[in-house]
Amino acid sequence: MIVPIASAALKLLLHAFAITHYGYFRDELYYIACSKHLAWGYVDHPPLSIALLALARATLGDSLWAIRLLPALAGAGTVFLVGLLVRELGGGRFAQALACLAAVIPPVWLAVDHFFSMNAFDTFFWTLAAWLLLRAIANGRPRTWILFGIAVGLGLLNKWSMAWFSGGAFFGLLLTPERRVLRTPWPWVAAVISAVIVMPNLIWEQMHAWPTLEFMRNAAREKMVRTGFGEFWKQQVLVMNPVNVLLWVPGLIFLLRSARARVIGIAYLATAALLVTSGSSRPNYLAVADAPLLAAGAVAVGRAAASRAWIRPVALMVLVLLGAPVALMGLPLLPVDRQIAYMRPLSGGVKAQERSSESDLPQVFADMFGWEEMVQRVARVYHALPEPDRQRCVIAASNYGEAGAIDFFGPRYGLPSAISWHNNYWLWGTHGGTGDVMILVGGDRDDAHNDFRSATLADTTSCNHCMPYENGAPIWVLHGLNMPLSERWKQIRRYI
């Protein structure tokens, strides 16, 4: 077990070095706001990650270290599980070292494990479920099937995409001789356990008219860039680190040829087919399914090295020398200007996955800049209002990032909490605001003038390296909404 442990420690060390280099990420600010409104569901994610964040905040506080420790640990756990997958597939210590190193260097895994979101836990639960499924097929023990059901249930309670794994695994069982396990009660017990775990979230969804489905439809139609077959796979190779293709491809072949592990290979292909045919899914969505391929590929290379000793040092050197430079694109290890210069020649093939202009940094880093500066400008506008207006004023934001920043940084500048019609902020309502006096961050000029008796452009945001639509965004002072805010609220919901 020394190799998986050492590799997980290496992954954790990389995150520890980078953890405070830039600021809070857009989604982190939103997730912190969600953790103050604990529920069994949210418009754009299930509740597990928010419950974990609430626990982290209650015990460790709100610092970058506090909220980013859990995703870093989840990423290290994924690397450790890759080592266990290698052992389950019959690989030795060299195969473990090769696979675990390959699991450290994907830029997409480094990026999502760097900040708090449900995505770090998503990769962990997929990998855990794959390992437990292989063990359950091999030993048939009730305890293993029960653990598998718990892993899938928690995965679903973290992110609905775990359903892709569940459906793909069931499809794989039906198409392979391992369908024999379906004649025993334990896979069905596992399914019931998963359903019981996720049921509170499904009840919440039904009570709120299935907002997550509306969110996903809107995102696919209005936000995500449509991706063709070739571009999807090109981006998948880039985000997983091109050098990992040397393990990824033989790993898929190994899984499909293995009698016991074929179910995992079929689950991967089923998930890939679903994402490719949708056309509007992010290529990195498939990255959560890649851990078994890296493990199986390392086992295949390890078997080839049994009769060709030179393969071992060459394979490890190739991963380090060719993989490490690309891996560094996934973490903000350098001061921002040097990071931009470093990434520029390497990132030309990586395409934006949302319909918005790019900064000089990719969005995963750009959304860590500008938030407190924005709040400072809003505070100046707010405190410049006459006292009677301040008493009646509500601060509205056009998206959850701006609203989350106001809620997080605002108290130190004397601001009230924000309202927004974006995703779960819409469910939290107007905080009793009437619309008589409003400060609006962002928003359309025509709407501001048409919906209010008066609209004054009080300031604009200004930030370096942030996303372009957050730089120069208007800060309006609005008076006299043309209808009660509670009525207008019903018309402006924005789930996307």
Side-chain angles (χ1 to χ4, degrees):
M1 300 296 289
I2 186 64
V3 172
I5 292 173
S7 301
L10 171 62
K11 165 88 166 174
L12 197 59
L13 183 64
L14 288 172
H15 286 291
F17 185 75
I19 205 164
T20 60
H21 277 193
Y22 299 168
Y24 291 88
F25 185 68
R26 171 190 299 272
D27 289 5
E28 287 177 319
L29 297 169
Y30 175 51
Y31 272 47
I32 289 172
C34 290
S35 72
K36 300 173 184 177
H37 300 81
L38 290 177
W40 277 109
Y42 301 87
V43 168
D44 40 3
H45 49 264
L48 179 60
S49 60
I50 302 303
L52 292 173
L53 179 57
L55 178 62
R57 292 182 60 238
T59 55
L60 301 174
D62 286 334
S63 70
L64 288 171
W65 267 101
I67 66 173
R68 290 178 175 175
L69 177 61
L70 285 180
L73 288 172
T78 298
V79 173
F80 179 78
L81 286 169
V82 167
L84 296 187
L85 275 168
V86 169
R87 191 168 69 171
E88 190 64 33
L89 293 169
R93 183 169 293 183
F94 164 72
Q96 284 187 329
L98 192 64
C100 289
L101 179 59
V104 169
I105 63 174
V108 64
W109 287 359
L110 289 167
V112 300
D113 296 339
H114 172 63
F115 60 89
F116 195 98
S117 78
M118 58 187 165
N119 294 317
F121 307 106
D122 193 29
T123 308
F124 173 83
F125 282 121
W126 274 66
T127 309
L128 176 62
W131 175 65
L132 288 171
L133 180 58
L134 286 177
R135 289 186 62 82
I137 291 172
N139 62 39
R141 293 174 184 166
R143 177 175 175 272
T144 309
W145 281 110
I146 290 171
L147 291 174
F148 172 71
I150 293 172
V152 171
L154 291 176
L156 288 167
L157 205 61
N158 174 70
K159 190 173 181 180
W160 278 19
S161 60
M162 190 69 181
W164 302 339
F165 174 86
S166 305
F170 181 71
F171 189 59
L173 287 173
L174 288 177
L175 293 181
T176 65
E178 302 304 330
R179 70 178 71 90
R180 59 181 173 77
V181 303
L182 298 176
R183 294 192 291 269
T184 70
W186 295 110
W188 308 105
V189 170
V192 170
I193 291 172
S194 300
V196 169
I197 290 173
V198 78
M199 187 59 65
N201 178 236
L202 297 178
I203 293 172
W204 182 92
E205 288 282 345
Q206 193 277 330
M207 292 175 61
H208 292 81
W210 301 96
T212 303
L213 294 180
E214 180 180 340
F215 161 79
M216 291 190 294
R217 286 194 301 267
N218 290 340
R221 183 173 59 248
E222 302 177 34
K223 184 169 74 172
M224 307 307 299
V225 174
R226 295 199 66 81
T227 307
F229 180 86
E231 186 63 31
F232 179 93
W233 287 107
K234 176 186 175 184
Q235 295 300 309
Q236 172 71 3
V237 168
L238 290 173
V239 300
M240 281 302 295
N241 203 319
V243 72
N244 273 338
V245 173
L246 299 176
L247 297 183
W248 181 24
V249 174
L252 179 58
I253 295 171
F254 179 96
L255 291 175
L256 294 175
R257 294 179 63 181
S258 169
R260 179 165 64 92
R262 190 175 301 143
V263 59
I264 302 296
I266 293 174
Y268 176 87
L269 291 177
T271 302
L274 176 66
L275 294 174
V276 170
T277 54
S278 72
S280 57
S281 293
R282 298 182 179 187
N284 62 5
Y285 283 177
L286 187 58
V288 297
D290 283 338
L293 275 65
L294 299 179
V299 173
V301 172
R303 291 181 179 179
S307 58
R308 302 172 183 85
W310 60 269
I311 291 179
R312 296 186 178 187
V314 169
L316 291 171
M317 288 178 60
V318 166
L319 279 188
V320 172
L321 296 179
L322 298 183
V326 180
L328 296 181
M329 293 174 58
L331 276 180
L333 292 167
L334 303 173
V336 62
D337 291 335
R338 291 175 61 190
Q339 186 82 23
I340 292 169
Y342 178 83
M343 294 181 67
R344 189 174 293 119
L346 295 174
S347 60
V350 180
K351 304 296 184 183
Q353 298 178 355
E354 296 184 3
R355 299 176 186 177
S356 58
S357 300
E358 288 282 287
S359 169
D360 50 6
L361 287 166
Q363 184 174 4
V364 71
F365 296 151
D367 266 337
M368 297 177 184
F369 288 88
W371 299 116
E372 188 165 6
E373 293 85 349
M374 179 206 74
V375 174
Q376 290 171 343
R377 288 176 178 255
V378 172
R380 287 199 294 268
V381 172
Y382 176 78
H383 290 294
L385 293 174
E387 177 64 23
D389 282 359
R390 283 204 304 275
Q391 294 297 325
R392 296 180 296 157
C393 182
V394 294
I395 300 178
S398 59
N399 63 61
Y400 67 60
E402 296 162 352
I406 292 167
D407 282 351
F408 185 77
F409 295 109
R412 69 185 68 169
Y413 297 103
L415 293 180
S417 56
I419 66 172
S420 179
W421 41 90
H422 189 200
N423 290 0
N424 228 76
Y425 265 97
W426 183 85
L427 288 177
W428 299 332
T430 65
H431 300 177
T434 64
D436 291 340
V437 183
M438 178 183 292
I439 293 174
L440 172 62
V441 183
D444 184 82
R445 177 184 178 85
D446 291 339
D447 289 342
H449 283 272
N450 293 337
D451 292 345
F452 289 83
R453 185 179 68 251
S454 69
T456 302
L457 181 61
D459 203 349
T460 58
T461 62
S462 179
C463 52
N464 295 320
H465 311 302
C466 63
M467 291 297 288
Y469 57 83
E470 298 293 357
N471 187 23
I475 302 175
W476 300 97
V477 174
L478 307 171
H479 288 84
L481 182 64
N482 58 19
M483 67 175 68
L485 183 57
S486 58
E487 292 298 316
R488 181 62 171 149
W489 204 250
K490 300 173 184 177
Q491 305 171 3
I492 58 177
R493 182 178 73 199
R494 183 79 169 146
Y495 289 169
I496 188 170

